[in-house]
């Protein structure tokens, strides 16, 4: 009678558990105690992926290519004798797919700001594997610490607009665990509404002065210009 099998061990010998599409990985199913020959079957969740026979109770290798999100998940291997339906299962290995992020979008509820006003800047990447880390910049200078979002939501900072220099060009960048996947957003600039109101107020003020001069000149005609004209006759 064959010796009773013990649970095999499933180990990763090539690649990583965080994978990208079209990445090759190799899993090794190592036997425990037992007798040869043994059949090893690799499962993803409860679906059979591949099966190999070992005639010397030696480790077997399963070579996989991660082509899409359907190829990731929890893997196990099963060891069993050909003459028996009773097998032993290994530990689990869980693969997660790392996807590149999309270009982040930098936005604000308002494009105009007054001096002394707090404004909000939001940075958001619609696609990409979580977590995603965001940073905000004004020109080439960082204006925030790294903000790592574990959920599909925007990173937000608050700015205090104190002068015209605070309306300059802003950007944000987003990155995740995808290799060399950092991406920068569009540029965003505020318009200082206070400066526009000053210019408008000055125009209105000068217009009022001009209007008052015209009215004053019109009122002065009956009292000064017409009497002096008649006196000269």
């Amino acid at each position: 009678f064959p010796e009773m099998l013990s649970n095999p061990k499933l180990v990763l010998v090539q690649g990583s558990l965080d994978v990208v599409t079209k990445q090759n990985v190799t899993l090794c199913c190592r036997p425990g105690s037992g007798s040869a020959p043994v059949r090893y079957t690799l499962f993803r969740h409860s679906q059979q992926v591949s099966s190999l026979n070992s005639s010397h109770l030696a480790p077997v290798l399963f070579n996989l290519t991660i082509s899409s999100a359907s190829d990731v998940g929890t893997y196990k291997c099963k060891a069993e004798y050909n003459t028996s339906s009773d097998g032993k299962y290994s530990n689990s290995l869980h693969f997660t797919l790392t996807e590149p992020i999309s270009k982040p979008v930098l936005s604000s509820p308002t494009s105009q700001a007054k001096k002394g006003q707090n404004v909000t800047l939001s940075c958001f990447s619609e696609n990409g594997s979580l977590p995603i880390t965001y940073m905000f910049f004004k020109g080439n200078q960082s204006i925030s610490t790294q903000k790592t979002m574990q959920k599909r939501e925007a990173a937000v900072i608050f700015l205090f607009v104190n002068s015209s220099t605070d309306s300059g060009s802003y950007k944000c960048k987003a990155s995740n665990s995808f290799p060399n996947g950092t991406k920068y957003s569009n540029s965003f600039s505020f318009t200082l509404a206070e400066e526009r109101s000053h210019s408008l107020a000055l125009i209105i003020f000068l217009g009022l002065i001009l209007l008052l001069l015209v009215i004053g000149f019109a009122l002065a005609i009956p009292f000064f210009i017409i009497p002096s004209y008649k006196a000269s006759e």
Side-chain angles (χ1 to χ4, degrees):
F1 294 96
E3 183 182 349
M4 181 176 293
L5 283 170
S6 61
N7 295 86
K9 185 176 182 180
L10 185 65
V11 295
L12 178 69
V13 294
Q14 179 186 342
S16 64
L17 294 179
D18 292 325
V19 294
V20 298
T21 54
K22 298 183 180 179
Q23 179 177 335
N24 296 321
V25 295
T26 301
L27 298 176
C28 176
C29 191
R30 294 177 178 172
S33 59
S35 304
V38 177
R39 182 175 63 203
Y40 297 94
T41 305
L42 183 68
F43 292 88
R44 180 179 62 250
H45 302 299
S46 58
Q47 181 181 2
Q48 180 176 328
V49 176
S50 181
S51 183
L52 295 171
N53 292 318
S54 176
S55 59
H56 303 287
L57 203 65
V60 294
L61 299 178
F62 295 100
N63 296 307
L64 307 174
T65 299
I66 306 299
S67 300
S68 65
S70 62
D71 295 323
V72 299
T74 301
Y75 283 78
K76 285 184 178 182
C77 70
K78 178 184 180 182
E80 61 186 335
Y81 293 123
N82 292 329
T83 57
S84 173
S85 60
D86 184 22
K88 299 289 187 178
Y89 285 91
S90 71
N91 55 298
S92 300
L93 290 179
H94 186 78
F95 288 93
T96 56
L97 184 65
T98 302
E99 297 177 300
I101 55 176
S102 56
K103 180 179 179 179
V105 175
L106 183 65
S107 61
S108 176
T110 179
S111 60
Q112 291 187 343
K114 296 180 180 180
K115 289 181 180 179
Q117 179 183 351
N118 284 315
V119 294
T120 304
L121 277 179
S122 300
C123 187
F124 179 67
S125 288
E126 185 175 357
N127 299 311
S129 301
L130 298 170
I132 299 177
T133 299
Y134 297 94
M135 281 193 70
F136 293 82
F137 297 85
K138 181 184 175 187
N140 296 323
Q141 182 178 1
S142 171
I143 58 172
S144 74
T145 57
Q146 289 188 347
K147 295 181 177 293
T148 301
M149 312 305 293
Q150 302 291 340
K151 297 180 180 180
R152 187 75 60 190
E153 57 188 10
V156 177
I157 63 169
F158 301 96
L159 299 175
F160 179 72
V161 179
N162 192 40
S163 66
S164 59
T165 58
D166 295 325
S167 63
S169 179
Y170 292 87
K171 282 187 176 183
C172 69
K173 75 173 182 179
S175 60
N176 62 3
S177 56
F178 190 86
N180 303 316
T182 299
K183 292 184 179 178
Y184 286 84
S185 73
N186 55 296
S187 297
F188 186 90
S189 299
F190 292 102
T191 300
L192 285 185
E194 186 176 359
E195 291 181 351
R196 295 181 63 185
S197 63
H198 279 168
S199 300
L200 182 61
L202 180 60
I203 293 173
I204 295 174
F205 178 71
L206 293 176
L208 288 175
I209 291 178
L210 181 60
L211 180 61
L212 290 175
L213 289 174
V214 172
I215 294 174
F217 181 75
L219 294 175
I221 290 177
F223 296 99
F224 297 99
I225 298 178
I226 294 177
S228 60
Y229 176 74
K230 290 182 177 180
S232 63
E233 292 180 347

